[in-house]
């Protein structure tokens, strides 16, 4: 079955960097686009970024553009999120999610999600 | 950016009752690119509906989606105990945005 397991969260000071990972299994990772979605404490869901199946097409939310970078290693079935210049408002649970479109270049919706990893930005 | 407004914020119902959840968009959602998710505490969100009215794999037929352009509805025909959760709508017609959620709790 499809499994997505995030790691790399923790407490980090404002202005610092953190890299999250998402290990995928149970499906052909290299065939699907992937997303990161976050949920701040007590708030709703916010889409963060999308990467196409081959890594050539990437989209970002305005709130993270220029600070966050999404990447993937299809040989390791792993998705990454490099977060730089972190702010207190980036505090959230970050989840990776699969886009359902096979060989998709554009972002759609999410058919499988991970449980998430908590990132806390605080001095 | 398309803003999605979900109502009501909380819906208090009893098992067996019908639940009607609304999702209103600030502008028309192209091609009815709207999805619904269920989220329970400590669990990953579960896809229920995509393309406004298509049920995802394995979703019981008591869940149905309808609507177009700016007004969308998720209906749960008869609430089962496991249906008490938070429900989110999400549009993918223009970038990706979520609604604020509707909590369905036990009356």
């Amino acid at each position: 079955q499809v499994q997505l397991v995030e790691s790399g969260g923790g407490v980090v000071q404002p202005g610092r960097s953190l890299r999250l990972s998402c290990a995928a299994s149970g499906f052909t990772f290299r065939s699907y686009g992937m997303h990161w979605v976050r949920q701040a404490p007590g708030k709703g869901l916010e889409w963060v970024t999308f990467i196409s199946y081959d890594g050539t097409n990437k989209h970002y939310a305005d709130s993270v553009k220029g600070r966050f970078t999404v990447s993937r290693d299809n040989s390791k079935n792993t998705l990454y999120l490099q977060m730089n210049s972190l702010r207190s408002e980036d505090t959230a649970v970050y989840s990776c999610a699969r886009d359902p479109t096979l060989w998709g270049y554009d972002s759609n919706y999410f058919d499988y999600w991970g449980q998430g990893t908590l990132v806390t930005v605080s001095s | 950016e398309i803003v999605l407004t979900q109502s009501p914020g909380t819906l208090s119902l009893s098992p067996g009752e019908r639940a009607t959840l609304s999702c209103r968009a600030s502008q028309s959602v192209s091609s009815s690119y709207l999805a619904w998710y269920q989220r329970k505490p400590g669990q990953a969100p579960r896809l229920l509906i995509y393309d406004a009215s298509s049920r995802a794999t394995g979703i019981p037929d008591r869940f149905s989606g309808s609507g177009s352009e700016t007004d969308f509805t998720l209906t749960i025909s008869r609430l089962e105990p496991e249906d008490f959760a938070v429900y989110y709508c999400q549009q993918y017609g223009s970038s990706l945005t979520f609604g604020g959620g509707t909590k369905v709790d036990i009356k």
Side-chain angles (χ1 to χ4, degrees), chain B residues 10-79:
Chain B
T10 302
L11 197 52
S12 296
L13 295 167
S14 301
E17 289 194 292
R18 181 184 188 90
T20 303
L21 287 67
S22 172
C23 176
R24 183 158 290 175
S26 60
Q27 53 190 282
S28 182
V29 177
S30 63
S31 305
S32 295
Y33 284 157
L34 189 111
W36 289 92
Y37 303 88
Q38 176 193 69
R39 187 162 207 183
K40 298 179 183 178
Q43 295 186 19
R46 176 190 183 196
L47 174 67
L48 301 173
I49 301 287
Y50 63 94
D51 293 349
S53 60
S54 298
R55 258 189 306 276
T57 304
I59 300 303
D61 61 7
R62 64 180 181 274
F63 290 92
S64 64
S66 63
S68 63
E69 297 192 356
T70 60
D71 286 294
F72 299 88
T73 301
L74 174 71
T75 302
I76 310 171
S77 59
R78 283 180 34 235
L79 283 164

Side-chain angles (χ1 to χ4, degrees), chain A residues 35 37 39 43-47 50 60 62 93 95 107-115, chain B residues 33 35 37 39 42-47 50-51 88 90-92 95-100:
Chain A
H35 302 262
V37 180
Q39 186 166 27
K43 304 281 190 178
L45 296 163
E46 180 188 16
W47 170 77
F50 164 82
Y60 296 93
D62 288 344
V93 173
S95 300
S107 49
N108 297 286
Y109 53 96
F110 323 96
D111 62 350
Y112 291 96
W113 301 62
Q115 294 270 36
Chain B
Y33 284 157
Y37 303 88
R39 187 162 207 183
Q43 295 186 19
R46 176 190 183 196
L47 174 67
Y50 63 94
D51 293 349
Y88 294 94
Q90 175 243 329
Q91 67 80 26
Y92 44 103
S95 189
L96 304 177
T97 53
F98 288 92

